[in-house]
Amino acid sequence: MKNLFKILSLSVLGILLVSCEKDEDKAVISETSSGRVSADKNTLVLSELTSNEAVISFSWTKPSFNIAVVPSQQIEFGLKGDGFKKSATVDFSNDLTQGSATHAAMNAAMFNIGATPDVVNEVEARLKTSVGSAAFYSNVIALKVTPYTPNPDLVYPKINVPGAYAGAAGYANWTPANSPNLFSPEKNDNYRGFIWISNATGDNGKYKFAINQDWPGNKGDDGTKTGKLAPDGADIVPPSAGTFYMKVDWAANTYSSVLANFGVIGDATPGGWGADTDFVYSPATKTYVISSIMLNSTGMFKFRANDDWLLKIQPKKNDETLASGKAVQTYFNAENTVDGDPGYKVSEAGNYKIELDLHNSAYYKLTVTKL
């Protein structure tokens, strides 16, 4: 019995020793001095023309800690008054105490925090030092930043739609790196966009979906023709020629397409509200064009698909008067981005060229130019 008691006592002592060792290993990190950051300027006007050039330089003193660590460091940005709830960072090597950010890097950061392009934004910046999951922050400095509208083709994730149709659309047949794309405006696995197919007979209109501008990981129909995808699946055959609005859920392996041939209609046009003037796709510009149409300045016009009112291209919220030659972002009502039923106007009557650029679902673009 004594031996049994000794064994139990030794076991309990061993457990306590192990527990003590584990507690001692859990050293708590804390700052012994805070970092400080400064910048060589506080007003920035960003430009895409000099996107790869440095626009601002930061200098900082690193924080110190109670134990030896190898931290990572970033300059973090947020809109003034937001408390860095929505933030973006520019990374710097942990051996640096100063560094510069380019126009492109700053513009990307501004885009990610929700800054408004082409106007002055009140922005805050600070040094963020991370040790594992712990983050430590410096003083906050104030900046006035005027960003530019970023190229949406470089900002949003995309998948490729290679196929036999692509050459006639101004791309290259069966070439993922030179094919139309579907984009993800929400930056998730859901992609959408418009694809023009000039000929659906035989093999001419076939297509598949690819990613990373290459064939590995491509997906086609799973063989059931029910909107389901499979890795290396079968070529997809469109039901007809025309413009199709396609949606792909890459994670769920599903796809859909609906015909969407657009035209312009309205009491500002020669056909009034009773007849559409159809767009013609231009492979040279990869846009939809009405080369010449008379528009009056007293009426309104809208863009609708298939001579019906279900699918429309519209302003975001209010009726909008367009300036000749100035491109504006426009919206597709089926994507729940339009409030109400607004339309477009021109301030001066005359013959106009109308051009719709639908190649990127994150930024549809409309331009009217007086001839």
Side-chain angles (χ1 to χ4, degrees):
M1 189 71 177
K2 289 181 180 179
N3 289 336
L4 179 60
F5 179 76
K6 288 179 180 178
I7 292 170
L8 290 172
S9 297
L10 289 171
S11 298
V12 171
L13 179 60
I15 292 170
L16 290 173
L17 287 172
V18 170
S19 297
C20 288
E21 287 175 0
K22 287 182 178 179
D23 288 339
E24 289 172 357
D25 288 342
K26 294 179 180 176
V28 178
I29 186 170
S30 62
E31 278 186 314
T32 56
S33 65
S34 299
R36 289 199 62 81
V37 66
S38 62
D40 67 341
K41 62 187 70 170
N42 57 19
T43 301
L44 290 74
V45 178
L46 306 179
S47 172
E48 191 169 17
L49 297 176
T50 54
S51 59
N52 294 322
E53 296 179 10
V55 66
I56 187 171
S57 294
F58 297 95
S59 299
W60 58 88
T61 57
K62 298 182 179 184
S64 57
F65 301 96
N66 60 321
I67 59 175
V69 296
V70 181
S72 61
Q73 53 188 9
Q74 304 164 310
I75 301 296
E76 184 178 34
F77 303 93
L79 292 176
K80 182 180 179 180
D82 187 51
F84 293 92
K85 291 177 183 176
K86 187 176 183 180
S87 67
T89 58
V90 174
D91 296 342
F92 292 96
S93 173
N94 62 13
D95 61 332
L96 297 178
T97 56
Q98 61 181 10
S100 299
T102 64
H103 287 259
M106 285 296 299
N107 203 69
M110 295 304 100
F111 175 82
N112 288 329
I113 66 175
T116 304
D118 305 317
V119 299
V120 177
N121 293 259
E122 300 282 346
V123 174
E124 295 178 325
R126 64 186 180 182
L127 176 69
K128 178 181 180 180
T129 305
S130 301
V131 182
S133 60
F136 303 88
Y137 301 98
S138 72
N139 61 304
V140 174
I141 58 176
L143 303 173
K144 295 180 183 294
V145 184
T146 304
Y148 56 86
T149 301
N151 183 344
D153 291 359
L154 304 178
V155 172
Y156 295 95
K158 62 186 177 183
I159 58 173
N160 325 118
V161 193
Y165 75 95
Y171 299 87
N173 288 342
W174 293 113
T175 307
N178 187 10
S179 65
N181 301 301
L182 305 181
F183 287 81
S184 176
E186 291 79 26
K187 297 185 177 182
N188 54 22
D189 281 323
N190 294 302
Y191 301 86
R192 59 181 183 257
F194 293 92
I195 302 296
W196 182 72
I197 297 174
S198 66
N199 185 352
T201 61
D203 293 335
N204 294 305
K206 290 183 175 180
Y207 61 92
K208 298 181 74 172
F209 301 110
I211 197 164
N212 299 323
Q213 298 185 309
D214 206 350
W215 283 112
N218 78 85
K219 297 181 181 182
D221 191 88
D222 72 345
T224 65
K225 299 181 181 179
T226 58
K228 297 177 182 178
L229 294 172
D232 291 313
D235 295 345
I236 301 169
V237 182
S240 67
T243 296
F244 289 88
Y245 179 64
M246 297 184 182
K247 299 172 71 174
V248 172
D249 187 325
W250 195 256
N253 287 318
T254 59
Y255 74 98
S256 65
S257 67
V258 59
L259 193 66
N261 291 318
F262 281 97
V264 62
I265 190 172
D267 56 4
T269 73
W273 291 109
D276 297 72
T277 301
D278 293 333
F279 282 93
V280 175
Y281 181 82
S282 168
T285 61
K286 303 180 178 68
T287 59
Y288 295 85
V289 179
I290 295 174
S291 297
S292 178
I293 185 172
M294 176 62 74
L295 298 175
N296 67 55
S297 58
T298 58
M300 184 179 296
F301 55 95
K302 300 181 181 183
F303 306 105
R304 67 177 188 172
N306 310 322
D307 298 335
D308 195 6
W309 290 108
L310 181 63
L311 304 177
K312 293 176 284 186
I313 297 290
Q314 298 176 274
K316 187 175 184 67
K317 187 174 183 180
N318 301 312
D319 293 339
E320 186 171 347
T321 301
L322 299 172
S324 176
K326 183 179 179 181
V328 298
Q329 185 173 5
T330 191
Y331 302 87
F332 185 37
N333 72 317
E335 294 172 346
N336 298 316
T337 52
V338 177
D339 185 4
D341 191 24
Y344 290 103
K345 303 176 182 179
V346 291
S347 59
E348 185 179 358
N351 280 317
Y352 283 84
K353 175 183 178 182
I354 304 178
E355 188 172 26
L356 267 178
D357 183 346
L358 304 179
H359 86 276
N360 187 329
S361 57
Y363 197 92
Y364 301 127
K365 189 165 60 176
L366 167 67
T367 310
V368 298
T369 305
K370 197 168 185 296
L371 301 175

